[in-house]
């Protein structure tokens, strides 16, 4: 039986950072499901598609998507740095409204990670992707704090300077869209444990979650 931890929450709530650390400590594979939505967007923008039609779905199905060292590879290439721009972030949220895109992502998850011990972050992992996960967490933080974290991430990973206000407004828009879409909206699963991360250090959050994992495993 595989062991699955679902970590949901809005952008910048600390999901990926914490999940990566917990994955190493608990011998789990870390997966950020948002990366798959970002890959769809990256491809859509790169090839200048104008809508999500059958042709687009056919083409993304032809991509060879694999997983290595916490990252998805597309046709054997790590395109991680191209996935974190504000443009791709917002566009991924736009595409994620589409049922066919969600179907594509969930099929990929099933294809690549079936029967594996995993910790996966996203928006609908505890509610839709793995409703029977062994443990579910829902991370939150204030919008301002999440914007600050995202600004830092953009600087560190892409050397991009971006105004805090611009990021704040974009995340606000993305939150609204992710929470209000019809299919698989961002919402806390009934049995998820809420962790408020605003004034907590990474170490503190990790300790809280690790204790719960130890009790469960
Ligand atoms: O986690 P992230 O910021 O990389 O996700 C980018 C977008 O992808 C997010 O704004 C909405 C979408 N997404 C989703 O709809 N469901 C998921 N499980 C993960 C991400």
């Amino acid at each position: 039986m595989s062991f699955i931890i679902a970590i949901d929450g809005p952008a910048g709530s600390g999901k990926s950072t914490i999940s990566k650390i917990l994955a190493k400590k608990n011998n789990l594979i870390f997966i950020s499901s948002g990366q798959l939505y970002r890959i769809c967007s990256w491809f859509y923008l790169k090839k200048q598609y104008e809508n999500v039609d059958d042709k687009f779905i056919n083409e993304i199905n032809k991509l060879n998507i694999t997983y290595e060292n916490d990252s998805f590879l597309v046709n054997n290439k790590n395109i991680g740095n191209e996935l974190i721009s504000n443009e791709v972030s917002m566009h991924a949220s736009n595409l994620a409204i589409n049922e066919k895109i969600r179907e594509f992502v969930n099929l990929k998850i099933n294809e690549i990670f079936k029967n594996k011990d995993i910790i996966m972050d996203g928006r609908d992992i505890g509610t839709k992707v793995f409703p029977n996960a062994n443990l579910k967490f829902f991370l939150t933080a204030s919008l301002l704090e999440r914007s600050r974290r995202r600004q830092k991430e953009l600087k560190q990973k892409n050397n991009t300077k971006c105004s805090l206000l611009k990021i704040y407004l974009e995340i606000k828009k993305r939150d609204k869209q992710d929470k209000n879409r019809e299919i698989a909206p961002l919402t806390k699963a009934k049995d998820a444990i809420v962790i408020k991360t605003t004034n907590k250090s990474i170490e503190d959050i990790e300790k809280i979650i690790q204790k719960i994992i130890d009790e469960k495993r």
Side-chain angles (χ1 to χ4, degrees):
M1 274 277 277
S2 53
F3 188 80
I4 298 174
I5 302 180
I7 305 224
D8 288 304
S13 53
K15 305 181 301 287
S16 296
T17 308
I18 299 297
S19 301
K20 250 186 213 171
I21 299 172
L22 291 168
K24 290 224 160 59
K25 292 211 159 155
N26 296 280
N27 204 17
L28 303 168
I29 303 173
F30 156 72
I31 308 123
S32 169
S33 60
Q35 293 292 303
L36 283 168
Y37 290 94
R38 287 171 185 268
I39 287 170
C40 294
S41 280
W42 165 82
F43 187 69
Y44 186 100
L45 295 167
K46 192 171 136 96
K47 301 282 177 187
Q48 302 182 337
Y49 278 91
E50 286 177 358
N51 48 58
V52 180
D53 51 15
D54 289 349
K55 186 167 176 282
F56 177 68
I57 299 293
N58 271 340
E59 291 305 311
I60 49 172
N61 267 301
K62 283 188 204 156
L63 296 174
N64 176 26
I65 301 178
T66 50
Y67 203 70
E68 228 178 82
N69 302 326
D70 294 347
S71 301
F72 287 98
L73 303 184
V74 179
N75 297 337
N76 298 316
K77 241 182 103 183
N78 187 333
I79 54 159
N81 284 346
E82 293 174 58
L83 301 180
I84 68 167
S85 69
N86 286 333
E87 189 192 13
V88 170
S89 302
M90 195 62 228
H91 193 267
S93 169
N94 296 342
L95 275 195
I97 289 172
N98 189 291
E99 193 172 10
K100 287 185 177 162
I101 297 285
R102 303 204 72 82
E103 218 175 79
F104 168 78
V105 168
N106 292 339
L107 282 172
K108 272 287 151 212
I109 289 174
N110 194 42
E111 185 186 306
I112 306 177
F113 305 105
K114 201 173 181 187
N115 298 328
K116 301 259 196 303
D117 294 335
I118 62 177
I119 180 163
M120 182 176 291
D121 80 52
R123 305 292 187 285
D124 62 339
I125 308 306
T127 51
K128 290 276 183 279
V129 183
F130 293 116
N132 297 321
N134 301 75
L135 274 171
K136 299 179 187 177
F137 296 94
F138 193 85
L139 268 51
T140 63
S142 72
L143 180 56
L144 183 59
E145 173 65 17
R146 292 189 286 119
S147 309
R148 286 200 187 106
R149 290 176 187 167
R150 171 101 186 119
Q151 189 185 38
K152 202 169 151 197
E153 185 192 20
L154 280 167
K155 177 90 186 69
Q156 276 173 353
K157 290 195 185 155
N158 251 15
N159 208 14
T160 315
K161 266 193 190 159
C162 210
S163 93
L164 190 61
L165 179 63
K166 185 169 183 270
I167 294 174
Y168 182 96
L169 294 174
E170 273 182 9
I171 294 189
K172 193 170 175 204
K173 198 169 158 197
R174 198 143 65 97
D175 280 355
K176 193 172 169 203
Q177 185 157 270
D178 292 346
K179 281 182 196 161
N180 293 306
R181 66 177 175 233
E182 267 177 39
I183 313 164
L186 165 65
T187 178
K188 183 189 103 55
K190 280 199 188 91
D191 48 350
I193 299 162
V194 177
I195 313 270
K196 294 181 181 161
T197 71
T198 305
N199 293 313
K200 292 189 182 78
S201 67
I202 292 169
E203 292 76 25
D204 288 345
I205 307 163
E206 184 212 316
K207 266 188 210 149
I208 295 170
I209 300 185
Q210 186 61 54
K211 192 165 173 271
I212 300 170
I213 297 175
D214 291 341
E215 282 163 9
K216 183 88 186 177
R217 246 185 150 178

